């Protein structure tokens, strides 16, 4: 059972990491939302598998919350925000090759940091922590390189997925903590939609570079 638990957890975590790389290179906001939903679904599957492996009912509840919030509710909210803002849904971001090279550097950094820091723990926990940190850094890179407000919000939500992956892989998560996290993520998605609509009304664009002209320190 230990080998099977390791293999399946590793496959699910690796699939989440692949989604993060695809998020970096995806140009259409609709594609970003679908990939974020896929990552949320994989997170729910990873939490459910950890619940089965660890015999934890709380992790089953966390998986159900992740499925409802991250794979369904939040992507639908982002899609509705995109529809209401009337944007084209395009965001150039970095060119594909620099994005992949930067993503590879983030993964290498995560491995160099996570594996020594988790020395002495189980192999499954070490691998999960390295993958989760990789997903978190890729989400941060996405936030820093995208100009579309909703794409930046998707990067932030991907980072939160990484934090939950690390938590369920390490030692499980109390249900009350996951409920609080789900509420926080839903609030972030709602604020991202409201922010996008306000930007569309005020500057007629969802490109955050358009805000530079409204900074008080520019003359």
């Amino acid at each position: 059972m230990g080998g099977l638990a390791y293999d399946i957890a590793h496959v699910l975590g690796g699939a989440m990491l692949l989604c993060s790389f695809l998020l970096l290179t995806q140009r259409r906001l609709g594609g970003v939302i679908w990939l974020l939903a896929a990552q949320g679904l994989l997170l729910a599957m990873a939490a459910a598998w950890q619940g089965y492996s660890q015999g934890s009912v709380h992790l089953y509840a966390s998986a159900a919350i992740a499925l409802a919030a991250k794979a369904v509710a939040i992507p639908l909210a982002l899609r509705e925000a995109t529809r209401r803002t009337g944007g084209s849904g395009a965001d150039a971001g970095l060119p594909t090759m620099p994005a992949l090279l930067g993503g590879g550097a983030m993964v290498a950094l995560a491995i160099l940091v996570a594996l020594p820091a988790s020395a002495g723990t189980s192999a499954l926990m070490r691998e999960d922590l390295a993958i989760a940190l990789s997903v978190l850094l890729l989400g941060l890179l996405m936030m820093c390189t995208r100009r579309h407000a909703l794409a930046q919000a998707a990067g932030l939500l991907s980072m939160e997925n990484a934090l939950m992956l690390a938590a369920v892989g390490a030692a499980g998560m109390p249900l009350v903590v996951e409920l609080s996290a789900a509420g926080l993520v839903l609030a972030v998605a709602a604020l991202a939609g409201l922010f996008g609509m306000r930007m569309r009304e005020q500057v007629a664009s969802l490109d955050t570079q358009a805000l530079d002209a409204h900074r008080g320190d520019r003359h």
Side-chain angles (χ1 to χ4, degrees):
M1 181 62 189
L4 181 62
Y6 176 88
D7 291 341
I8 295 182
H10 200 94
V11 167
L12 293 172
M16 287 186 64
L17 182 59
L18 177 60
C19 284
S20 293
F21 273 102
L22 294 175
L23 282 168
L24 273 178
T25 58
Q26 177 58 242
R27 296 291 180 261
R28 302 290 301 176
L29 189 57
V32 168
I33 294 172
W34 278 112
L35 285 169
L36 191 64
Q39 191 178 68
L41 176 61
L42 289 166
L43 175 61
M45 294 170 63
W49 178 250
Q50 289 289 350
Y52 175 71
S53 300
Q54 300 177 23
S56 173
V57 177
H58 285 170
L59 288 179
Y60 285 119
S62 296
I65 293 171
L67 179 64
K70 303 174 188 297
V72 179
I74 291 175
L76 287 178
L78 290 176
R79 183 167 292 279
E80 179 64 15
T82 304
R83 186 188 67 80
R84 290 195 176 189
T85 54
S88 64
D91 183 8
L94 286 177
T96 300
M97 188 54 66
L100 292 176
L101 290 175
M106 293 296 100
V107 173
L109 176 62
I111 293 173
L112 290 174
V113 171
L115 294 185
S118 58
T121 62
S122 67
L124 176 58
M125 186 180 298
R126 298 183 72 198
E127 294 288 341
D128 277 349
L129 184 59
I131 291 174
L133 184 56
S134 298
V135 173
L136 187 145
L137 291 177
L138 289 175
L140 179 61
L141 180 61
M142 181 178 178
M143 285 187 64
C144 294
T145 57
R146 291 303 180 101
R147 291 162 42 179
H148 198 288
L150 296 183
Q152 292 175 357
L156 177 62
L157 294 169
S158 180
M159 292 174 66
E160 200 278 336
N161 288 344
L163 293 176
M164 181 177 173
L165 178 65
V168 300
M173 178 185 295
L175 180 58
V176 65
V177 176
E178 178 54 23
L179 287 171
S180 300
L184 177 61
V185 172
L186 287 172
V188 168
L191 288 173
L194 291 174
F195 177 68
M197 287 185 282
R198 290 294 295 170
M199 276 191 64
R200 189 69 178 176
E201 292 173 1
Q202 298 296 325
V203 298
S205 173
L206 288 179
D207 189 335
T208 53
Q209 279 196 338
L211 297 175
D212 285 349
H214 300 274
R215 289 177 58 183
D217 58 346
R218 295 290 181 88
H219 299 284

